[in-house]
Amino acid sequence: MPPYNTNGTHSPPSDLEPSEEERLVTAIVSSTARRNPADLVEADMLPNGHDPYKPKPARSERNADAHAHAALSLSHPHLTEAPRDPRDAARSLTTATASRPASPYTLSPPIDFDGLSWPSLGTRERLEATEAQSQERLEKLSGAVRTILDCVGEDVEREGLRGTPERYAKAMLYFTKGYEENVRDIVNGAVFHEDHDELVIVKDIEVFSLCEHHLVPFTGKIHIGYIPNRRVLGLSKLARIAEMFSRRLQVQERLTKQIALALSEVLRPRGVGVVMESSHLCMVMRGVQKTSAVTITSCMLGCMRSSAKSREEFLNLVNRRQ
């Protein structure tokens, strides 16, 4: 069989139609053409849409790209049509120092018009309850605990368990007190203007939360860092924000991202990074029963996500031990 030529002068012998052979040769030519590195400057940010620092491609390469686009339009016309929804348009490539695109998370903003932060269905009812309604809620929860004790085979009237339903009910309301708090009140105006544009990190923030799947605790530490944009937050507020979101029924992945998004909403910094490491009793006391397993999650926003160097600096400082 004679070799295939890819210079466009000869096409491989086949039973294809002439137009199909031309498209095949064009596709081969474009696939072997030299590729330019990704442009680090968006074209629409430059005058006339041209980057003066990027060399123009050779004429043969421009022709090959044009032929490839034409072939794509003929073979797969739906791939070159404009999307019906502008949000579906292709996004620009990440730069050489950006290993991850923007976050697709859409639960924003974390501070809503009611002053709560991602409230659940019954949050406002619990927050605005009168003293009589709060007492009724406590008694209802205590009754549910008595039912649980009865179902597991215990005698709820024996000495050690007589006050347990009410104690547990009060403890559960405390474990989930984050539903009654919001970012606006926690920050309380502690945002200050400072000419500082380097990393601010508070690490080893201890948190305790409840797994929403089994209602058993998971505990660990959270490390929070951000690069200010001329505004800084009182250091204790970082720990209070972490405490607020952890005192809810949670999964670690969501908890990590909620803290990052809340800080981004309050400060509008150049970048935010949150790393959490914790141990989950739902996989220690039951299930696979792996007592030494540690779960680590992270959320990077802004330049912490788009710049590999900023992200690396943050992670190195977080991992450095005394």
Side-chain angles (χ1 to χ4, degrees), residues 115-117 127 177-183 186 240 243-245 247-248:
L116 298 172
S117 305
L127 180 63
K177 67 184 179 70
Y179 286 120
E180 301 181 30
E181 299 172 336
N182 65 81
V183 175
I186 284 179
R240 292 183 186 277
E243 173 76 4
M244 183 195 75
F245 285 113
R247 291 297 185 176
R248 301 180 177 190

Side-chain angles (χ1 to χ4, degrees), residues 107 109-111 116-119 175-179 181-184 186 207-210 218 222 224 237-251 254-263 266 276:
L107 281 181
I111 307 174
L116 298 172
S117 305
W118 287 309
F175 295 157
T176 58
K177 67 184 179 70
Y179 286 120
E181 299 172 336
N182 65 81
V183 175
R184 183 183 59 192
I186 284 179
V207 292
F208 309 89
S209 190
L210 288 179
F218 65 93
I222 290 181
I224 304 175
K237 305 303 181 182
L238 299 176
R240 292 183 186 277
I241 291 176
E243 173 76 4
M244 183 195 75
F245 285 113
S246 66
R247 291 297 185 176
R248 301 180 177 190
L249 302 184
Q250 283 283 11
V251 294
R254 183 172 67 238
L255 173 58
T256 306
K257 185 149 289 187
Q258 284 182 337
I259 295 171
L261 288 173
L263 184 58
V266 170
M276 180 176 182

Side-chain angles (χ1 to χ4, degrees), residues 181-254:
E181 299 172 336
N182 65 81
V183 175
R184 183 183 59 192
D185 292 342
I186 284 179
V187 172
N188 195 26
V191 177
F192 310 101
H193 292 271
E194 291 291 341
D195 187 18
H196 184 77
D197 59 356
E198 297 293 337
L199 266 171
V200 177
I201 300 176
V202 176
K203 65 179 188 177
D204 295 334
I205 302 172
E206 293 182 340
V207 292
F208 309 89
S209 190
L210 288 179
C211 167
E212 66 180 30
H213 300 147
H214 302 96
L215 296 185
V216 294
F218 65 93
T219 64
K221 295 181 179 181
I222 290 181
H223 318 292
I224 304 175
Y226 69 96
I227 299 180
N229 187 11
R230 298 186 177 181
R231 298 201 303 172
V232 298
L233 183 65
L235 296 179
S236 67
K237 305 303 181 182
L238 299 176
R240 292 183 186 277
I241 291 176
E243 173 76 4
M244 183 195 75
F245 285 113
S246 66
R247 291 297 185 176
R248 301 180 177 190
L249 302 184
Q250 283 283 11
V251 294
Q252 183 174 330
E253 297 86 346
R254 183 172 67 238

Side-chain angles (χ1 to χ4, degrees), residues 236-299:
S236 67
K237 305 303 181 182
L238 299 176
R240 292 183 186 277
I241 291 176
E243 173 76 4
M244 183 195 75
F245 285 113
S246 66
R247 291 297 185 176
R248 301 180 177 190
L249 302 184
Q250 283 283 11
V251 294
Q252 183 174 330
E253 297 86 346
R254 183 172 67 238
L255 173 58
T256 306
K257 185 149 289 187
Q258 284 182 337
I259 295 171
L261 288 173
L263 184 58
S264 179
E265 180 75 11
V266 170
L267 287 181
R268 302 292 183 185
R270 294 173 56 198
V272 177
V274 177
V275 175
M276 180 176 182
E277 45 188 315
S278 66
S279 175
H280 293 248
L281 291 186
C282 59
M283 61 180 298
V284 173
M285 297 177 62
R286 55 165 297 282
V288 294
Q289 302 182 43
K290 302 302 180 183
T291 59
S292 60
V294 176
T295 302
I296 301 176
T297 53
S298 69
C299 179

